[in-house]
Amino acid sequence: MRLPLPAAVLGLGVLLAAFALKLVNPDRLRLGSAFLLRHLLLFFIPPMLILRAHADMLGWLGIKLLAVIVIGTVAVMSATGLVVRLMVPDDQP
């Protein structure tokens, strides 16, 4: 079964239905989300420590590295899309 919706939109719809049917208590979700928001800073500490240890990444070296990453990602995604287009026949849905 194929649905023309992204999984995140479908998940939000299921969550909304669970709220409407009183299957999920919003207070429990509120507690969990508050916990994650309180500890969100932990996700940003490692990158900040790396930038502090390697301050040269904020200059030209970092810009060059970012350019290589972006160009490499675009090249790989483009090549993958081209190969898939060449390999999959046009008559498939």
Side-chain angles (χ1 to χ4, degrees), residues 41-62:
L41 184 61
L42 293 175
F43 294 111
F44 294 107
I45 289 175
M48 295 311 293
L49 290 176
I50 297 234
L51 283 176
R52 188 168 179 198
H54 302 286
D56 53 336
M57 289 293 180
L58 295 173
W60 282 111
L61 179 63

Side-chain angles (χ1 to χ4, degrees), residues 21-89:
L21 296 173
K22 306 269 191 229
L23 297 174
V24 176
N25 186 359
D27 291 331
R28 292 193 60 146
L29 187 68
R30 191 174 296 122
L31 286 173
S33 61
F35 173 80
L36 289 174
L37 286 173
R38 270 195 317 269
H39 295 91
L40 189 63
L41 184 61
L42 293 175
F43 294 111
F44 294 107
I45 289 175
M48 295 311 293
L49 290 176
I50 297 234
L51 283 176
R52 188 168 179 198
H54 302 286
D56 53 336
M57 289 293 180
L58 295 173
W60 282 111
L61 179 63
I63 292 172
K64 290 177 191 176
L65 185 61
L66 183 63
V68 167
I69 291 171
V70 168
I71 291 169
T73 302
V74 169
V76 168
M77 290 176 73
S78 300
T80 303
L82 181 65
V83 168
V84 168
R85 238 168 181 221
L86 292 174
M87 299 300 281
V88 175

